[in-house]
Amino acid sequence: MSARPEGMAARKITAQTLLDAKRRRQPFAAVTAYDYPTARLADEAGIELILVGDSLGMVVLGLESTLPVTIDEMLHHARAVRRGVQSSFLVVDMPYGSYHTGADDAVRNALRLMKEGGAAAVKLEGGAERAALVERLTREEIPVVGHIGLTPQAVHRMGGYRVQGKSAAAIDGLMADAAALEGAGAVALVIEGVPREVAARLTAAAGIPTIGIGAGPECDGQILVLHDMFQLGFRTPAKFVRTFGDAGTLLRQGFAEYRAEVAARTFPKEDESYHLSPEVRAELEAEPAGRTK
Ligand code: KIV
């Protein structure tokens, strides 16, 4: 799976494509996107999975956590991302509160993400306690990606964004969560913030692809938050984040340069301005100054 040569028709990546990759032991890449240009760039680079994550709240909307993000906000961004995606498997997060008030509400909200947002699958957080819901959504033809380990929507229960699965009991719990979600029909599993050894066990035991974030290299796929990858965040990045480009510095320098050029009247230049035809200019110059009509 590589970047698409220009002009070549996009091959649609599906849940089956990701499963085949797992079986071939071919790792795949996933990234978050929240708008058209970044979704299009990621898609054209051959990124296999694009997630409209509810991390949207923190990295785009400037919120302190993902908890206030609404289904309408997710839809707004999902629609933009959908327009940029031709090939990647598009997953959209179910935000906090959109699947907590009963299965019918969850189905209704998930269907909106599919029909209005163009999602190929929805993602929701939680373990065995979500199995019945995953089964119901799957029965309604809504593919579901699970999310276990460090689940940001449970920040208050976890007492912060902490690495999970550090004791034998916690590891057993995660193994049971993964098995329950897979048994309920989940098509893939995000594993966030767990020790490498734990993610490796989860991946070996799972019949569906695992997608790691802060979970070591043995997962079937890796996912990163776009703003972390390109230094567009304003917090100290977590240990597992690697920078793949410094867009933050580029933008800072660009803004400072632009402001200085405007202040010095060196922007815009002559060839960056529109001009009247010589005839109209001559007519204008022949008129008394200040006349407007
Ligand atoms: O919302 C998000 O960006 C996510 C990723 C961290 C997997 O859920």
Side-chain angles (χ1 to χ4, degrees), residues 32 34 51-56 66 93 123 125 147 152 190 192 213 223 225:
T32 64
Y34 316 94
L51 170 70
V52 185
D54 62 351
S55 49
L56 162 75
T66 60
D93 259 344
K123 177 166 81 60
E125 297 182 9
H147 183 158
V190 167
E192 179 168 356
I213 174 160
I223 186 162
V225 169

Side-chain angles (χ1 to χ4, degrees), residues 58-96:
M58 296 170 81
V59 300
V60 174
L61 304 180
L63 297 167
E64 277 303 308
S65 77
T66 60
L67 302 186
V69 176
T70 66
I71 193 85
D72 287 325
E73 285 167 337
M74 292 305 299
L75 276 167
H76 178 77
H77 289 268
R79 281 192 290 264
V81 168
R82 172 79 272 167
R83 291 178 206 119
V85 171
Q86 283 190 59
S87 172
S88 307
F89 188 57
L90 178 59
V91 181
V92 181
D93 259 344
M94 297 198 70
Y96 181 63

